[in-house]
Amino acid sequence: GNSVTQMEGPVTLSEEAFLTINCTYTATGYPSLFWYVQYPGEGLQLLLKATKADDKGSNKGFEATYRKETTSFHLEKGSVQVSDSAVYFCALSAFNAGGTSYGKLTFGQGTILTVHP
Amino acid sequence: GAGVSQSPSNKVTEKGKDVELRCDPISGHTALYWYRQSLGQGLEFLIYFQGNSAPDKSGLPSDRFSAERTGGSVSTLTIQRTQQEDSAVYLCASSFSPGSYEQYFGPGTRLTVT
């Protein structure tokens, strides 16, 4: 079956530090890959996505590249801010037997990021 | 416009009672998903609705769980004879179509079974 493994947290950084959160996956076929973010007291929000190999998703200074050869989708940001403190989830979308996606998401365990001033 | 809404936001119930959780998806969204977020299991898929097609119930953890979607819009997740292990945050999400990739999540219902 499909699965997502992401770097265990919590991760604590100082403002302006470089961030990497590792994510690897196991899936049949070619899934779409996502990073979702959950800010304190808020719901899950899509941060970025990539739908095919070598695609790079980016948003709010965050980036992740779909690497088929290493089955990875690591999240990076060059300079984190206090406002980036949140829980980050890596996820993939499933395909049904016919090979079309209906969007069911399989999530990693989540990584708590805390950024200090 | 309005996002996905869920009610109640918090629910405390006694073990053995039945509970109903409600989800109002974004207007016009044909696909609706329920997920559960708990400390031990992380975020896990429960059930998926698409239009008038039969739902995918493959993620429901037991036959105490059921869900319906009336008129292709509002959905209700029902848990019968609740157990303490049912305590979790239940999240609803909707998307314009199953192939549009982005799912919009509601704020969740925090269920506590005492």
Side-chain angles (χ1 to χ4, degrees), chain B residues 59-79:
Chain B
L60 295 179
S62 78
D63 59 7
R64 295 185 296 103
F65 288 72
S66 62
E68 62 178 19
R69 188 178 184 193
T70 54
S73 181
V74 171
S75 177
T76 302
L77 177 69
T78 301
I79 309 174

mmCIF file of all heavy atoms in Angstrom, chain B residues 59-79:
data_model
loop_
_atom_site.group_PDB
_atom_site.id
_atom_site.type_symbol
_atom_site.label_atom_id
_atom_site.label_comp_id
_atom_site.label_asym_id
_atom_site.label_seq_id
_atom_site.Cartn_x
_atom_site.Cartn_y
_atom_site.Cartn_z
ATOM 1 N N GLY B 59 -11.557 3.257 4.633
ATOM 2 C CA GLY B 59 -10.812 3.708 5.792
ATOM 3 C C GLY B 59 -11.576 3.652 7.107
ATOM 4 O O GLY B 59 -10.994 3.917 8.171
ATOM 5 N N LEU B 60 -12.834 3.317 7.073
ATOM 6 C CA LEU B 60 -13.607 3.281 8.316
ATOM 7 C C LEU B 60 -13.053 2.177 9.223
ATOM 8 O O LEU B 60 -12.922 1.036 8.796
ATOM 9 C CB LEU B 60 -15.087 3.055 8.036
ATOM 10 C CG LEU B 60 -15.804 4.175 7.275
ATOM 11 C CD1 LEU B 60 -17.263 3.805 7.034
ATOM 12 C CD2 LEU B 60 -15.706 5.495 8.030
ATOM 13 N N PRO B 61 -12.754 2.508 10.486
ATOM 14 C CA PRO B 61 -12.062 1.550 11.342
ATOM 15 C C PRO B 61 -12.940 0.411 11.858
ATOM 16 O O PRO B 61 -12.392 -0.631 12.240
ATOM 17 C CB PRO B 61 -11.558 2.408 12.501
ATOM 18 C CG PRO B 61 -12.461 3.599 12.525
ATOM 19 C CD PRO B 61 -12.884 3.842 11.120
ATOM 20 N N SER B 62 -14.234 0.595 11.908
ATOM 21 C CA SER B 62 -15.110 -0.478 12.374
ATOM 22 C C SER B 62 -16.530 -0.206 11.889
ATOM 23 O O SER B 62 -16.820 0.869 11.353
ATOM 24 C CB SER B 62 -15.084 -0.564 13.903
ATOM 25 O OG SER B 62 -15.897 0.453 14.477
ATOM 26 N N ASP B 63 -17.410 -1.190 12.080
ATOM 27 C CA ASP B 63 -18.797 -1.015 11.630
ATOM 28 C C ASP B 63 -19.588 -0.095 12.551
ATOM 29 O O ASP B 63 -20.768 0.170 12.315
ATOM 30 C CB ASP B 63 -19.495 -2.364 11.473
ATOM 31 C CG ASP B 63 -19.518 -3.159 12.762
ATOM 32 O OD1 ASP B 63 -19.124 -2.620 13.811
ATOM 33 O OD2 ASP B 63 -19.920 -4.334 12.721
ATOM 34 N N ARG B 64 -18.941 0.436 13.588
ATOM 35 C CA ARG B 64 -19.614 1.445 14.415
ATOM 36 C C ARG B 64 -19.604 2.804 13.722
ATOM 37 O O ARG B 64 -20.318 3.706 14.129
ATOM 38 C CB ARG B 64 -18.910 1.563 15.775
ATOM 39 C CG ARG B 64 -19.001 0.318 16.636
ATOM 40 C CD ARG B 64 -18.391 0.561 18.017
ATOM 41 N NE ARG B 64 -16.958 0.848 17.975
ATOM 42 C CZ ARG B 64 -16.426 2.047 18.116
ATOM 43 N NH1 ARG B 64 -17.201 3.108 18.327
ATOM 44 N NH2 ARG B 64 -15.108 2.216 18.070
ATOM 45 N N PHE B 65 -18.776 2.927 12.704
ATOM 46 C CA PHE B 65 -18.643 4.186 11.970
ATOM 47 C C PHE B 65 -19.461 4.122 10.684
ATOM 48 O O PHE B 65 -19.399 3.124 9.950
ATOM 49 C CB PHE B 65 -17.180 4.454 11.596
ATOM 50 C CG PHE B 65 -16.299 4.847 12.744
ATOM 51 C CD1 PHE B 65 -15.922 3.916 13.697
ATOM 52 C CD2 PHE B 65 -15.831 6.144 12.859
ATOM 53 C CE1 PHE B 65 -15.102 4.275 14.765
ATOM 54 C CE2 PHE B 65 -15.000 6.516 13.915
ATOM 55 C CZ PHE B 65 -14.644 5.580 14.869
ATOM 56 N N SER B 66 -20.194 5.179 10.403
ATOM 57 C CA SER B 66 -20.921 5.278 9.150
ATOM 58 C C SER B 66 -20.990 6.745 8.756
ATOM 59 O O SER B 66 -20.803 7.639 9.587
ATOM 60 C CB SER B 66 -22.324 4.687 9.261
ATOM 61 O OG SER B 66 -23.079 5.415 10.212
ATOM 62 N N ALA B 67 -21.248 6.991 7.493
ATOM 63 C CA ALA B 67 -21.366 8.369 7.024
ATOM 64 C C ALA B 67 -22.328 8.409 5.869
ATOM 65 O O ALA B 67 -22.484 7.431 5.136
ATOM 66 C CB ALA B 67 -20.000 8.926 6.611
ATOM 67 N N GLU B 68 -22.946 9.548 5.716
ATOM 68 C CA GLU B 68 -23.814 9.764 4.568
ATOM 69 C C GLU B 68 -23.639 11.187 4.071
ATOM 70 O O GLU B 68 -23.172 12.057 4.799
ATOM 71 C CB GLU B 68 -25.272 9.499 4.913
ATOM 72 C CG GLU B 68 -25.861 10.393 5.980
ATOM 73 C CD GLU B 68 -27.334 10.094 6.218
ATOM 74 O OE1 GLU B 68 -27.793 9.005 5.835
ATOM 75 O OE2 GLU B 68 -28.007 10.952 6.782
ATOM 76 N N ARG B 69 -24.017 11.364 2.841
ATOM 77 C CA ARG B 69 -23.953 12.695 2.235
ATOM 78 C C ARG B 69 -25.270 12.916 1.521
ATOM 79 O O ARG B 69 -25.589 12.221 0.563
ATOM 80 C CB ARG B 69 -22.789 12.786 1.253
ATOM 81 C CG ARG B 69 -22.563 14.203 0.752
ATOM 82 C CD ARG B 69 -21.400 14.305 -0.181
ATOM 83 N NE ARG B 69 -21.163 15.694 -0.553
ATOM 84 C CZ ARG B 69 -20.365 16.083 -1.542
ATOM 85 N NH1 ARG B 69 -19.707 15.174 -2.257
ATOM 86 N NH2 ARG B 69 -20.201 17.359 -1.799
ATOM 87 N N THR B 70 -26.021 13.874 2.007
ATOM 88 C CA THR B 70 -27.360 14.117 1.488
ATOM 89 C C THR B 70 -27.331 15.190 0.409
ATOM 90 O O THR B 70 -26.716 16.254 0.585
ATOM 91 C CB THR B 70 -28.300 14.543 2.623
ATOM 92 O OG1 THR B 70 -27.732 15.654 3.304
ATOM 93 C CG2 THR B 70 -28.487 13.401 3.606
ATOM 94 N N GLY B 71 -28.008 14.894 -0.701
ATOM 95 C CA GLY B 71 -28.136 15.886 -1.761
ATOM 96 C C GLY B 71 -26.820 16.331 -2.344
ATOM 97 O O GLY B 71 -26.724 17.413 -2.933
ATOM 98 N N GLY B 72 -25.799 15.521 -2.202
ATOM 99 C CA GLY B 72 -24.495 15.868 -2.742
ATOM 100 C C GLY B 72 -23.828 17.019 -2.051
ATOM 101 O O GLY B 72 -22.866 17.597 -2.572
ATOM 102 N N SER B 73 -24.294 17.373 -0.839
ATOM 103 C CA SER B 73 -23.708 18.516 -0.147
ATOM 104 C C SER B 73 -23.295 18.129 1.267
ATOM 105 O O SER B 73 -22.241 17.528 1.452
ATOM 106 C CB SER B 73 -24.683 19.686 -0.143
ATOM 107 O OG SER B 73 -24.109 20.798 0.510
ATOM 108 N N VAL B 74 -24.141 18.410 2.231
ATOM 109 C CA VAL B 74 -23.808 18.194 3.642
ATOM 110 C C VAL B 74 -23.551 16.709 3.911
ATOM 111 O O VAL B 74 -24.217 15.829 3.356
ATOM 112 C CB VAL B 74 -24.966 18.687 4.530
ATOM 113 C CG1 VAL B 74 -24.748 18.290 5.976
ATOM 114 C CG2 VAL B 74 -25.127 20.190 4.397
ATOM 115 N N SER B 75 -22.569 16.466 4.776
ATOM 116 C CA SER B 75 -22.257 15.086 5.170
ATOM 117 C C SER B 75 -22.310 14.957 6.687
ATOM 118 O O SER B 75 -21.970 15.900 7.410
ATOM 119 C CB SER B 75 -20.873 14.689 4.666
ATOM 120 O OG SER B 75 -20.537 13.380 5.100
ATOM 121 N N THR B 76 -22.729 13.787 7.133
ATOM 122 C CA THR B 76 -22.773 13.477 8.559
ATOM 123 C C THR B 76 -21.984 12.196 8.805
ATOM 124 O O THR B 76 -22.216 11.188 8.139
ATOM 125 C CB THR B 76 -24.214 13.275 9.052
ATOM 126 O OG1 THR B 76 -24.970 14.455 8.771
ATOM 127 C CG2 THR B 76 -24.253 13.013 10.543
ATOM 128 N N LEU B 77 -21.074 12.266 9.755
ATOM 129 C CA LEU B 77 -20.327 11.088 10.198
ATOM 130 C C LEU B 77 -20.917 10.661 11.536
ATOM 131 O O LEU B 77 -21.005 11.474 12.459
ATOM 132 C CB LEU B 77 -18.845 11.416 10.350
ATOM 133 C CG LEU B 77 -17.928 10.312 10.879
ATOM 134 C CD1 LEU B 77 -17.789 9.186 9.851
ATOM 135 C CD2 LEU B 77 -16.540 10.861 11.212
ATOM 136 N N THR B 78 -21.334 9.413 11.620
ATOM 137 C CA THR B 78 -21.956 8.897 12.845
ATOM 138 C C THR B 78 -21.074 7.823 13.459
ATOM 139 O O THR B 78 -20.603 6.935 12.744
ATOM 140 C CB THR B 78 -23.344 8.317 12.551
ATOM 141 O OG1 THR B 78 -24.179 9.332 11.980
ATOM 142 C CG2 THR B 78 -24.002 7.792 13.828
ATOM 143 N N ILE B 79 -20.861 7.946 14.752
ATOM 144 C CA ILE B 79 -20.120 6.916 15.483
ATOM 145 C C ILE B 79 -21.072 6.360 16.537
ATOM 146 O O ILE B 79 -21.562 7.095 17.406
ATOM 147 C CB ILE B 79 -18.859 7.475 16.160
ATOM 148 C CG1 ILE B 79 -18.008 8.265 15.163
ATOM 149 C CG2 ILE B 79 -18.039 6.337 16.764
ATOM 150 C CD1 ILE B 79 -16.822 8.980 15.789
#
